[in-house]
Amino acid sequence: MRLEPNPHLLSVAPMMDWTDRHFRYLVRQISRGTLLYTEMVTDRAILHGNRSRLLDFDPSEHPVALQLGGCDPLTLAQAARIGEEWGYDGINLNLGCPSERVQGGGFGACLMKEPELVAECLAAMREAVRVRVTAKHRLGVDDLEDYGYLTRWVEKLSAVGIEVFIVHARKAWLKGLSPKENREIPELRYGWVYRLKQDFPHLRFVLNGGVRTLEEVERHLAHVDGVMLGRAVYEDPFVLEQADRRLFGLEHRPSRLAVAQAMIRYAEAQMAQGTPLWPVARHMLNLFKNQRRGKLWRRILSQQATRQGATPEVLWKALEQVRAAPELEGVAG
């Protein structure tokens, strides 16, 4: 089995309420090579909901993958097919979310207890589409934390054609921990993900969980095929500032001012289509994190861009304040 060039070298994790189309557009201004993911969208929402609202994205977001949630092979296959028709570059199945709401729907991390059903779902999705189907999962759930079980899980899914495994290097507790606690309390076991790559060298493994810097990404890449960053990117999108040069060989040198200007123009275009300012501006709060006058930028946006009827003029005025900082003067006209 031979895989094509690796599109999973670096990616930004699917994060509910965060990785919507506006945030993905922002990230794409900073890194052209990083793979982006949607928020998790349930198969039934796609089949019965407002598809344009759920699935639309800007062409500049490529490469971008759709993450699905569900547990029925038929509806997942239908949703995957729609996602492919919408133009997504890949389809991912969420097998790692431990939230009670997701568990109530019978999908997410609780599916790690049902490898036969998961294999049926992924086989149906693969049959429905030509783009790559991938799985994102934990090391285990509850007391089901055993490397032998994990290898059997990988064997089961690879037998139906899954070649890329995105592994959050923690188990999940289905009861007793909140989703936030499930991202922090269970022990990180990077060594297990490294070992999977050693035991299944013909498959691709992407490591997720606790990685916060590009330096850490590069260290992990000595052992696995890819690394997925999560909240570190939302807290400071410029953690990806050097990703294109260091990982993808692209001569792309973004500046915070240039990205801010691009996002303001994007906000203007979105407002012309009926989108209020705040759904775009909320993702821009951390654009100047740890920079001189960065707190002023955040305060202006938080106080003024949230107001009903606010316009991008708020953002231009905030940018004028930031540009007055000595180390930013003359950058990105």
Side-chain angles (χ1 to χ4, degrees):
M1 180 188 304
R2 295 187 60 185
L3 299 177
E4 71 271 10
N6 182 11
H8 301 276
L9 191 66
L10 181 65
S11 54
V12 175
M15 294 177 282
M16 290 300 295
D17 299 322
W18 289 6
T19 51
D20 64 17
R21 60 179 301 187
H22 308 310
F23 181 66
R24 297 194 305 266
Y25 187 91
L26 184 155
V27 173
R28 185 57 74 222
Q29 308 312 303
I30 301 169
S31 173
R32 295 172 180 167
T34 300
L35 174 63
L36 305 179
Y37 284 83
T38 68
E39 306 168 87
M40 181 187 68
V41 186
T42 67
D43 51 2
R44 296 186 183 280
I46 290 174
L47 296 184
H48 306 296
N50 184 331
R51 293 178 188 173
S52 180
R53 180 180 61 81
L54 294 169
L55 297 176
D56 280 355
F57 62 93
D58 189 275
S60 69
E61 293 176 41
H62 289 293
V64 58
L66 169 65
Q67 187 184 65
L68 293 177
C71 59
D72 178 80
L74 177 61
T75 55
L76 279 169
Q78 292 173 327
R81 188 178 299 111
I82 293 168
E84 180 182 50
E85 293 169 353
W86 226 262
Y88 284 95
D89 301 297
I91 309 293
N92 177 260
L93 182 60
N94 184 321
L95 302 164
C97 180
S99 78
E100 291 186 2
R101 181 174 64 85
V102 168
Q103 288 184 57
F107 56 98
C110 63
L111 282 175
M112 288 203 71
K113 295 184 175 182
E114 301 185 63
E116 295 286 348
L117 174 58
V118 171
E120 290 179 28
C121 290
L122 289 167
M125 293 166 67
R126 285 196 72 246
E127 187 175 347
V129 300
R130 294 179 299 275
V131 295
R132 185 173 300 285
V133 175
T134 63
K136 186 175 189 296
H137 58 90
R138 297 277 186 138
L139 298 179
V141 290
D142 296 337
D143 295 325
L144 190 61
E145 183 183 23
D146 173 77
Y147 184 76
Y149 183 86
L150 186 60
T151 59
R152 293 190 294 275
W153 166 269
V154 170
E155 289 169 349
K156 174 70 69 175
L157 303 194
S158 65
V160 299
I162 299 305
E163 299 170 331
V164 178
F165 295 79
I166 302 158
V167 188
H168 187 150
R170 290 183 173 95
K171 74 171 181 181
W173 285 104
L174 299 181
K175 302 294 181 184
L177 293 183
S178 68
K180 180 178 185 297
E181 291 169 330
N182 260 300
R183 295 191 299 269
E184 299 171 350
I185 294 176
E187 180 183 357
L188 280 165
R189 299 182 185 272
Y190 294 140
W192 282 27
V193 188
Y194 297 171
R195 189 175 168 188
L196 285 174
K197 180 58 185 178
Q198 294 171 353
D199 291 343
F200 301 93
H202 59 293
L203 302 175
R204 283 201 176 127
F205 292 92
V206 178
L207 182 146
N208 173 228
V211 185
R212 300 197 60 83
T213 69
L214 206 56
E215 289 71 26
E216 292 174 61
V217 168
E218 291 174 319
R219 288 196 293 271
H220 288 304
L221 286 175
H223 306 280
V224 293
D225 301 290
V227 177
M228 176 178 278
L229 290 169
R231 279 155 181 77
V233 179
Y234 201 87
E235 291 165 7
D236 182 358
F238 267 74
V239 72
L240 298 174
E241 179 181 8
Q242 299 184 46
D244 282 357
R245 283 175 282 158
R246 289 165 63 170
L247 298 180
F248 301 107
L250 301 174
E251 288 301 319
H252 179 220
R253 301 176 64 88
S255 74
R256 293 177 192 264
L257 284 172
V259 172
Q261 290 168 335
M263 288 303 299
I264 297 173
R265 290 190 289 269
Y266 173 78
E268 291 172 337
Q270 288 295 307
M271 289 198 73
Q273 298 174 29
T275 301
L277 180 63
W278 183 241
V280 177
R282 72 185 184 100
H283 297 302
M284 301 169 63
L285 291 173
N286 294 327
L287 260 183
F288 295 94
K289 186 170 184 178
N290 296 324
Q291 304 296 301
R292 184 175 174 85
R293 303 198 180 182
K295 291 182 179 179
L296 175 62
W297 164 268
R298 184 182 180 93
R299 184 166 67 250
I300 293 172
L301 267 60
S302 298
Q303 293 177 349
Q304 299 184 29
T306 55
R307 296 174 182 170
Q308 185 175 3
T311 72
E313 186 63 24
V314 169
L315 307 181
W316 286 118
K317 289 181 177 179
L319 191 59
E320 289 177 8
Q321 295 293 319
V322 171
R323 292 195 64 165
E327 65 269 33
L328 293 176
E329 287 179 356
V331 180

